Amino acid sequence: MSETSIHTPNPEMPEPLEASRLTGDATAADIESIRTRTSVFVYEWPVRLWHWVNALAITVLIVTGYVIGKPLPSMQIAEATHQFVFGYIRFAHFAAGMIVTVGFFGRIYWAFVGNSHARQLFYIPVWNKRWWKEVFFELKWYAFLEREPKKYVGHNPLAQTAMFFFMTLGLTFMILTGWALYSEGAGQGSFADGVAGWVLTLFGNSMIVHSVHRLGMWFILVFMIIHIYAAIREDILSRQSMVSTMISGTRTFKDDRPE
Ligand code: HEM
Ligand code: HEM
């Protein structure tokens, strides 16, 4: 995978973008590459593919999961034995759950073999003072209390924190509790029981696992709303590409706002 594939000089911009404004996760190679051009390759295709498949599957899980816990009234148009609506809803949930599970393992694998930005999702550098300063800077920037955005090659420190807690830890929790619930249907001695049956024992009973699995859905939904808002907001206000970066893999730094 080439990390230096795109070269897009901006004719409007007399000087190359000031690389010293890049902070946080930028490596020396990133900074060097941005001295001479305005875009840099960030997300390799497995990260991008995972992002969109995962986003779609989680959307299906939220919609079907919501209905599983709060079912619609039964339909009166046919005999109950001739209906399988709820069966299809549960099937969609389980299929999407399996896609998320396999995808998450694939994403973990890519953290080992992919570039440095593929690893950001899985850790937060809690001992790094500068990193914390930049988390607070981003909080102020998101609250419209800062005028000038900082530029990042990968995720900004605040996004990284949110992704770590809501996705890395959050998805692990949803996958474990989801498979624990699945093991009830699959039965004792099943594969699901073998890998996640202990979660039911840990929580005490099925009802509690249902409740925490449902609570987890609300956490993920809150993340999703803020995440999509932030991605679009940053795309417009921070003068660096966001949504297209998750499609093409390339971050483009736009010239600074005219005074
Ligand atoms: C982001 C991921 C997920 C979300 C948002 C989600 C959401 C939900 C919700 C809201 C419920 C209903 C809980 C209730 O009120 O009783 C549910 C049930 C369930 N989920 Fe998930 N889920 C996710 C991942 C998974 C995964 C990975 C699996 C594993 C296959 C899974 C399997 C199940 C099972 C077996 C049930 C119980 C179905 C039933 O009782 O009929 N879920 N899920
Ligand atoms: C229209 C919907 C969405 C858009 C426009 C969007 C956009 C983006 C963008 C632009 C990034 C990269 C941000 C950066 O470069 O720092 C990103 C990363 C990410 N997004 Fe989304 N996203 C969407 C939906 C979702 C959903 C539904 C989820 C899961 C609930 C999600 C989870 C993530 C995760 C985990 C990352 C980090 C990727 C990684 O490092 O592997 N996104 N998203």
Side-chain angles (χ1 to χ4, degrees):
M1 196 76 41
S2 160
E3 301 231 353
T4 53
S5 52
I6 303 230
H7 182 119
T8 324
N10 184 347
E12 306 280 35
M13 201 163 57
E15 293 294 320
L17 187 94
E18 200 194 331
S20 61
R21 299 249 320 273
L22 285 171
T23 51
D25 70 308
T27 61
D30 289 331
I31 291 177
E32 191 44 44
S33 111
I34 290 160
R35 274 193 212 289
T36 51
R37 55 212 180 92
T38 57
S39 55
V40 61
F41 184 73
V42 188
Y43 300 123
E44 296 150 306
W45 70 264
V47 172
R48 290 177 273 143
L49 180 69
W50 173 77
H51 176 267
W52 295 113
V53 170
N54 189 55
L56 210 73
I58 289 180
T59 308
V60 171
L61 283 164
I62 289 175
V63 174
T64 51
Y66 183 86
V67 181
I68 289 171
K70 259 182 178 282
L72 303 167
S74 306
M75 284 189 295
Q76 301 298 318
I77 48 170
E79 275 296 325
T81 46
H82 298 131
Q83 299 181 37
F84 198 62
V85 178
F86 211 72
Y88 288 125
I89 292 172
R90 291 179 80 228
F91 173 76
H93 194 85
F94 304 157
M98 288 169 196
I99 289 172
V100 162
T101 307
V102 172
F104 195 55
F105 278 105
R107 183 66 186 79
I108 292 170
Y109 166 75
W110 199 257
F112 287 101
V113 300
N115 66 17
S116 65
H117 307 297
R119 281 184 272 287
Q120 260 197 300
L121 191 58
F122 297 96
Y123 71 96
I124 43 175
V126 280
W127 307 118
N128 185 333
K129 256 167 94 180
R130 174 176 171 197
W131 186 84
W132 281 109
K133 262 177 78 180
E134 291 182 20
V135 169
F136 287 111
F137 177 91
E138 286 300 310
L139 269 173
K140 284 189 282 173
W141 162 250
Y142 277 32
F144 297 93
L145 298 173
E146 290 286 346
R147 280 176 63 81
E148 278 302 313
K150 285 188 193 290
K151 317 266 184 185
Y152 291 93
V153 179
H155 306 310
N156 76 52
L158 187 59
Q160 187 183 0
T161 312
M163 284 161 186
F164 178 79
F165 282 106
F166 286 88
M167 283 284 108
T168 312
L169 300 188
L171 267 191
T172 306
F173 182 80
M174 293 309 279
I175 289 170
L176 277 176
T177 50
W179 281 102
L181 293 174
Y182 193 84
S183 76
E184 292 197 295
Q188 277 190 346
S190 63
F191 177 71
D193 182 39
V195 294
W198 59 271
V199 178
L200 285 166
T201 321
L202 184 73
F203 281 99
N205 65 51
S206 164
M207 185 63 221
I208 300 177
V209 181
H210 267 278
S211 302
V212 293
H213 190 70
R214 192 173 184 86
L215 190 62
M217 172 196 73
W218 291 113
F219 275 92
I220 295 209
L221 189 64
V222 166
F223 166 79
M224 219 165 121
I225 293 169
I226 297 174
H227 171 68
I228 296 171
Y229 161 75
I232 295 170
R233 176 191 186 272
E234 284 302 274
D235 219 330
I236 297 165
L237 293 187
S238 80
R239 318 293 301 150
Q240 53 204 316
S241 68
M242 286 287 148
V243 182
S244 63
T245 306
M246 239 334 144
I247 297 170
S248 70
T250 301
R251 177 97 67 218
T252 305
F253 298 97
K254 302 163 198 177
D255 51 350
D256 285 329
R257 205 186 319 233
E259 284 304 318

